[in-house]
Amino acid sequence: MTATANMTAPSLQQIAPNLESRVKPGDLATAQMALLGVGVALIGAGWATGGEHFYFSYLVGYMGVLGICLCALFFTMVQHITRAGWSITVRRLAENTMAALPFMLLLFVPVVIGFDHLYHHWVHPDANDAVLAGKSAWLNSTFFFVRVVIYFAVWIGLALFFRSGSLKQDETGDPAISLRMARVAAPGLLLFALSLTFAAFDWIMSLDPHWFSTIFGITYFAGGFMAFLAFTIVMAKWLGTKGYLKEAINVEHYHDLGKLMFGFMVFWTYTNFSQYMLIWYANLPEETAWFAHRAVDGWGAIGTILVVGHFFIPFVFLMSRHVKRNGIALSAGAIFLLVIHCIDMQFLILPGADHGAEHAAGGEAHAVAHAHEHANGFSAQLGEYLHNVHWTDFGCFIGLLSILAGIVVMNVRKTNLVPLRDPKLAESIHFENF
Amino acid sequence: MSNTNKWGIVAEFDSAASIYQACKKVIEKGYTRVDAHTPFPVHGLDKALRQGPSHLGWIVVCFGLTGICVAQLMMWWTNAFDYRFWVSGKTPYAWETTIPITFELMVLLSGISAVFGMFGLNRLPRLHHPIFRHKTFHRASDDRFFLSVEATDPKFDTNETVAFLQSIGGQHVEVIEE
C-alpha cells in the first residue's frame, strides 16, 4: 500500500499534449446564459399559461430531467466500483451533471407548491377508501416530505462526495482517492437503488395511489439512464464542436456510450414489458386500471408510439457499429431518444392528471368502461392526444433540460475538462474497441 | 523437401510492439495472406494487418430473424390454427404471450449461430494445423508472438520471404510443410 500511495500519475502533458485541460476564460459564457435563460423563460411561460395543468407538465419535465441527474451519479459510482478505465474522460462530464442535484432540490419547489393538486388522491382521500386508509402509514403528507429530505440528502451527499474527491485528485494526484471512492461506491449504489425506487413510487406512482407495481422504480431508472447517456452524448458532441474534449472523448468513447444507450433503451423495453405482461396476464382490476387509463383519451396511441419509438426504431437504427461510430447519426439517435423520454414521462404522469381530480371515486370503473366504448384506431387516438396535449407537456421538459444543460456548462467552465491526474487517464484516452 | 507442398512461413517475435511493427512492414511489402498469433489481444493488430470486418454478424442476424419467425409461426400454428385453444380468457393468438418465447428462441438461435458460425468461419474443429509443426509455436499461448505468411500468397517466394522476415527481426523463421 505504501508503494501505491507514493505513486503519482503521469501528467496530462505527457499523456496527450494537445488536450485542452480547461475552458478558456469567458468562453461558453454566452451559451451558459442562453441555456439558463431559455429554460427559465419556458418554465415561466408555462407557469403563466398552464393553469393547474402546469404542475403535471412540470412533473413530466422534472422527473425526466431528475432521472438524467440521478443516473449521472449512478454512472459515476458504477465506473468507480468497476474501476473502469475507458470512461475516465467521460466521468468528469457525469460529475458535472450530478452536481446539478442541489439545483434540482431548488427546482423541486414547484412540485411542493403543486403538491396538494398533484397528489390530491391520497392527500385528501375518500373517507370510505379502505385501500388508501391501509396505505396511510406511508402515504401521508408529513412522511412524504420527510422522505423528500432523505432522498435529496442521500443524492446530494453522494454527488458531493464523488465530485469533490475527483476534483481533489486533480490537485494531489493521490491514487488512494480512487480506491476510497471505489469502496464508497458499493454502499452508495445500494442507497441509490433504494432512494431512486422509492422516489419513483412517491412522485409518480402515487399519482394513482390505488395502483402498485414493484418493478416501477426500475423502469424509471432504465429510461433515466438511457436519457443520461443521450444527454451526455449530445453535450460532449457540442463541446467537441466548440473545440473542447475532442481528443479526450473520441470515437471509441462515443461507441461505448452508444452501446450503453442502446442497451438501456432495450432494458427499458424489457422492464416495461415485464410489468405490462404480468398485469395483462393476471387481469386483476386493481392492477389493470392503470393501463385502462392509458388506453383512452389518446394515450392508446402514445403506448403504441412508445413501443415503436422507444424500442423498434432505435433498436434497428442504433444496432450497427457504424451508426454508433458516426457522430451525426449517434447525436440524432440521442436527441430522438430524449424526445421519446419526455413522451415516456407524459405517459406515466399525465393520464392520472386528466382523470384524477374529477373522478376521484369510481374513476377506475369509468376508465374501464370508457376504454370499451372508445375502441378507437391509432389515428383517432393520436388525434385526441394532439388535441389534449398542452404545449407545457413538452415545454417544461425542454425548459428543465435547458436549465440542466446550462448548469452543466457552468460546472464545465469551473473545473478541469477531464480528471487530470486520475491514474487511469492514459488508459482512457488510448483505449480502443475491438 | 522440394516435393512436398509448403503451407507457409512462420517467424517468432518477442514482444507485442515488435510484432505490431512486423505486421505493418509485411503488409507494406505487399503480402496479403498474413496472420498474427499472440498470447493476448494486441490493440491495433487487426488494423495493422488490414483485416476486414467479420461476417459473423450477418450470420447471427439471419439466425436471430429465423428464431423470431419460427417462434411466431409455431405459437400461431399450435394455439390459433391447428387446435384453437382458449387459455384464461385470452385470445388464441395474443401477441403478449408470444413475446417471451419469441425472445428466447431468437436468443437461442443467435447464440448458437454465433458460436458455430465462428467455428465454421475459422474452419473448426480440426485435429491438426500445419502451423503447429513450427518448433516454438507452443509459446504462442505463453510469451511469444508469431507471424505467418501463407504459401498461397501471390507474393510468396520461399527464399525471399524467409530473408524478409529475418530482416524485420523475426527469429526461428521456419518454412512449414502442409
Side-chain angles (χ1 to χ4, degrees):
Chain A
M1 282 310 284
T2 44
T4 48
N6 293 332
M7 266 164 51
T8 48
S11 75
L12 192 68
Q13 278 65 39
Q14 290 167 284
I15 297 162
N18 301 326
L19 199 77
E20 291 267 6
S21 66
R22 280 190 97 96
V23 175
K24 286 192 270 302
D27 207 4
L28 303 183
T30 329
Q32 177 194 326
M33 292 324 287
L35 285 165
L36 290 173
V38 166
V40 171
L42 277 171
I43 300 298
W47 180 74
T49 63
E52 294 219 301
H53 185 75
F54 165 75
Y55 296 111
F56 287 95
S57 298
Y58 187 84
L59 195 65
V60 167
Y62 185 81
M63 293 311 289
V65 171
L66 179 73
I68 295 174
C69 295
L70 286 179
C71 289
L73 173 62
F74 172 78
F75 180 85
T76 306
M77 287 193 287
V78 165
Q79 307 316 314
H80 282 303
I81 201 168
T82 57
R83 294 184 187 165
W86 74 273
S87 58
I88 301 300
T89 54
V90 187
R91 207 189 66 215
R92 179 53 50 83
L93 207 49
E95 286 163 357
N96 281 331
T97 307
M98 72 192 189
L101 278 166
F103 294 95
M104 291 310 286
L105 176 61
L106 194 67
L107 290 169
F108 193 71
V109 169
V111 180
V112 176
I113 296 170
F115 170 74
D116 206 61
H117 183 61
L118 285 167
Y119 305 104
H120 181 88
H121 263 334
W122 60 264
V123 178
H124 304 288
D126 197 88
N128 305 319
D129 196 329
V131 175
L132 289 190
K135 292 184 179 185
S136 61
W138 182 269
L139 286 182
N140 64 73
S141 305
T142 314
F143 194 25
F144 178 91
F145 285 107
V146 169
R147 289 197 302 274
V148 169
V149 172
I150 294 172
Y151 300 149
F152 275 104
V154 168
W155 298 335
I156 293 172
L158 285 171
L160 291 183
F161 172 81
F162 284 102
R163 185 161 181 269
S164 64
S166 180
L167 292 180
K168 196 170 167 222
Q169 197 177 45
D170 277 8
E171 282 158 22
T172 63
D174 183 3
I177 292 177
S178 291
L179 295 173
R180 189 166 66 245
M181 290 200 285
R183 270 195 297 275
V184 176
L189 281 165
L190 205 61
L191 281 173
F192 170 83
L194 290 171
S195 57
L196 177 132
T197 301
F198 286 112
F201 287 179
D202 282 358
W203 300 344
I204 305 180
M205 206 164 86
S206 84
L207 290 167
D208 193 347
H210 283 186
W211 185 73
F212 53 91
S213 166
T214 47
I215 205 173
F216 193 80
I218 302 170
T219 64
Y220 175 68
F221 157 75
F225 195 44
M226 179 202 76
F228 158 73
L229 292 158
F231 177 78
T232 304
I233 287 168
V234 174
M235 286 302 286
K237 278 282 172 202
W238 177 75
L239 285 168
T241 65
K242 299 284 170 195
Y244 300 108
L245 286 171
K246 267 182 123 160
E247 193 183 350
I249 303 181
N250 56 47
V251 64
E252 304 295 335
H253 301 89
Y254 286 114
H255 189 183
D256 270 4
L257 289 169
K259 282 186 258 183
L260 279 173
M261 184 170 74
F262 177 84
F264 278 84
M265 178 272 296
V266 175
F267 184 59
W268 175 94
T269 314
Y270 181 87
T271 55
N272 269 281
F273 178 74
S274 304
Q275 174 178 281
Y276 175 74
M277 195 191 70
L278 289 184
I279 290 173
W280 172 85
Y281 217 114
N283 206 14
L284 301 172
E286 67 262 40
E287 291 179 346
T288 52
W290 194 81
F291 283 108
H293 283 308
R294 282 154 184 79
V296 295
D297 299 330
W299 294 108
I302 298 307
T304 310
I305 284 173
L306 283 176
V307 172
V308 175
H310 209 307
F311 179 62
F312 283 107
I313 292 173
F315 184 78
V316 173
F317 181 71
L318 289 171
M319 172 121 52
S320 166
R321 166 191 183 92
H322 304 293
V323 171
K324 289 188 280 260
R325 292 176 81 88
N326 179 311
I328 294 167
L330 185 67
S331 307
I335 291 168
F336 176 80
L337 285 177
L338 283 172
V339 174
I340 283 289
H341 182 58
C342 175
I343 295 174
D344 179 32
M345 290 298 128
Q346 291 179 3
F347 187 76
L348 294 180
I349 290 164
L350 294 183
D354 300 332
H355 276 279
E358 304 146 37
H359 312 282
E364 280 142 27
H366 166 83
V368 173
H370 204 54
H372 288 298
E373 68 195 51
H374 288 263
N376 285 330
F378 175 79
S379 54
Q381 286 269 307
L382 186 62
E384 205 176 341
Y385 165 79
L386 292 174
H387 182 258
N388 290 341
V389 75
H390 200 272
W391 76 268
T392 51
D393 296 339
F394 286 98
C396 285
F397 179 79
I398 297 169
L400 285 164
L401 198 63
S402 184
I403 291 177
L404 175 66
I407 294 168
V408 173
V409 172
M410 181 183 79
N411 289 329
V412 164
R413 292 176 63 216
K414 282 196 295 203
T415 60
N416 292 317
L417 283 161
V418 293
L420 285 186
R421 298 176 73 183
D422 189 292
K424 293 191 287 291
L425 181 63
E427 184 186 342
S428 178
I429 290 176
H430 298 303
F431 103 99
E432 281 182 45
N433 282 291
F434 277 107
Chain B
M1 181 91 183
S2 59
N3 291 335
T4 55
N5 286 325
K6 295 183 188 72
W7 176 80
I9 297 172
V10 176
E12 181 193 296
F13 293 86
D14 58 4
S15 73
S18 61
I19 193 153
Y20 178 81
Q21 294 303 331
C23 283
K24 277 186 125 171
K25 283 173 191 155
V26 170
I27 295 293
E28 272 163 25
K29 190 83 176 170
Y31 290 98
T32 47
R33 308 236 356 123
V34 184
D35 207 353
H37 315 266
T38 60
F40 50 81
V42 176
H43 281 295
L45 212 51
D46 47 348
K47 267 183 217 146
L49 287 169
R50 291 194 196 146
Q51 285 186 338
S54 166
H55 299 300
L56 190 59
W58 294 107
I59 296 174
V60 175
V61 163
C62 290
F63 275 84
L65 288 173
T66 307
I68 292 173
C69 295
V70 168
Q72 286 290 322
L73 205 62
M74 176 183 74
M75 281 177 287
W76 170 79
W77 173 268
T78 53
N79 278 355
F81 185 78
D82 188 43
Y83 191 87
R84 281 177 77 81
F85 200 45
W86 294 72
V87 183
S88 3
K90 309 293 190 269
T91 52
Y93 178 85
W95 69 268
E96 288 92 341
T97 53
T98 66
I99 297 295
I101 305 287
T102 307
F103 173 76
E104 295 297 346
L105 209 60
M106 178 200 73
V107 170
L108 181 71
L109 290 200
S110 302
I112 287 175
S113 69
V115 173
F116 288 97
M118 180 272 289
F119 277 12
L121 292 176
N122 286 322
R123 310 221 171 89
L124 291 171
R126 55 188 294 172
L127 296 173
H128 184 68
H129 190 279
I131 202 166
F132 291 115
R133 293 188 215 279
H134 188 278
K135 285 199 186 58
T136 58
F137 191 74
H138 61 276
R139 294 179 76 175
S141 60
D142 182 11
D143 61 348
R144 283 295 185 274
F145 306 77
F146 293 86
L147 184 63
S148 62
V149 180
E150 288 173 40
T152 51
D153 193 304
K155 246 186 94 67
F156 186 86
D157 176 280
T158 310
N159 296 332
E160 210 176 283
T161 307
V162 166
F164 175 67
L165 286 175
Q166 280 167 339
S167 75
I168 59 173
Q171 296 149 334
H172 301 286
V173 180
E174 289 179 26
V175 180
I176 306 294
E177 286 163 32
E178 187 71 67

